[in-house]
Amino acid sequence: MVAVAKQMVQNVPAPAASHDCKPEELTGATLTNITLRRIAGLTNAADPEHAEWINPSELETSAARVLADPKADAVAARRAAAELLAAPGFVVYRIDIVNAPIALEVKDLKLGTVGARAIHYDKTGEPTCVLYFTFANDKAKSDWAIGKSDRAIIDPVVAKAMREDLKEQYLKSYPRPPRP
């Protein structure tokens, strides 16, 4: 599984380099880009796109989280790898841009938005299709945060609320295959 994960990390399609996924093509084990990189033995950058709060574990197949955990025992890791390798493919949720200044404690009073991709890979780690999507802070929540940001710096409590809201909006809107 580590070799497949490394293949997926190295084969991120450039924009327009792959056809757009249809929802029914987004099948297989799901994982965020930061978990994929951990499985491949790579570290994640200390930037907003690789932050835990914008890569929610709720998007992931539980086996991916087990395999990415360096403290998982060997038997659990082997079982997780076997489960992942038995999947018909992989869907990696990759954050491309976090344009959410208030969530990042930057005083630029505007609606926070995030651009992301759902990339489907076959069993060997080759990309088959990509689905671009965006999501944003709830308008009412954003207006609340802007109203609370009357000082020179963004209140960490307000920033945390905006990060939590972005995560909530992500979990409501991320692309996934239709249920049977």
Side-chain angles (χ1 to χ4, degrees):
M1 185 60 213
V2 171
V4 173
K6 286 180 180 177
Q7 181 75 5
M8 289 189 282
V9 168
Q10 292 173 355
N11 288 307
V12 177
S18 182
H19 80 276
D20 290 344
C21 292
K22 296 178 180 103
E24 59 271 11
E25 291 178 286
L26 295 175
T27 60
T30 57
L31 57 162
T32 63
N33 187 51
I34 63 171
T35 296
L36 173 67
R37 292 178 58 81
R38 287 179 184 138
I39 292 170
L42 303 171
T43 58
N44 288 299
D47 59 20
E49 291 80 14
H50 294 92
E52 294 287 336
W53 64 269
I54 200 63
N55 290 281
S57 62
E58 292 90 336
L59 298 176
E60 300 176 316
T61 302
S62 59
R65 289 191 304 274
V66 170
L67 193 56
D69 182 358
K71 296 176 185 168
D73 73 63
V75 173
R78 281 196 305 275
R79 286 183 182 144
E83 181 181 332
L84 292 172
L85 289 170
F90 306 93
V91 178
V92 176
Y93 294 102
R94 180 183 173 96
I95 301 296
D96 289 320
I97 186 163
V98 177
N99 185 13
I102 297 173
L104 300 173
E105 297 185 39
V106 174
K107 182 111 183 218
D108 185 3
L109 305 179
K110 63 182 181 183
L111 183 73
T113 59
V114 177
R117 290 181 276 175
I119 306 169
H120 184 269
Y121 291 90
D122 66 16
K123 290 175 73 80
T124 67
E126 291 295 322
T128 62
C129 62
V130 178
L131 184 59
Y132 297 90
F133 64 101
T134 60
F135 55 97
N137 279 120
D138 175 75
K139 176 82 168 87
K141 190 75 165 186
S142 182
D143 290 345
W144 167 83
I146 289 169
K148 291 284 189 182
S149 300
D150 58 352
R151 296 199 167 95
I153 60 171
I154 298 294
D155 182 342
V157 172
V158 172
K160 183 176 188 274
M162 296 310 289
R163 287 191 298 269
E164 289 170 356
D165 181 60
L166 277 172
K167 178 181 174 181
E168 180 181 329
Q169 299 311 315
Y170 189 0
L171 293 173
K172 285 181 185 176
S173 65
Y174 74 97
R176 53 196 167 267
R179 291 192 168 160

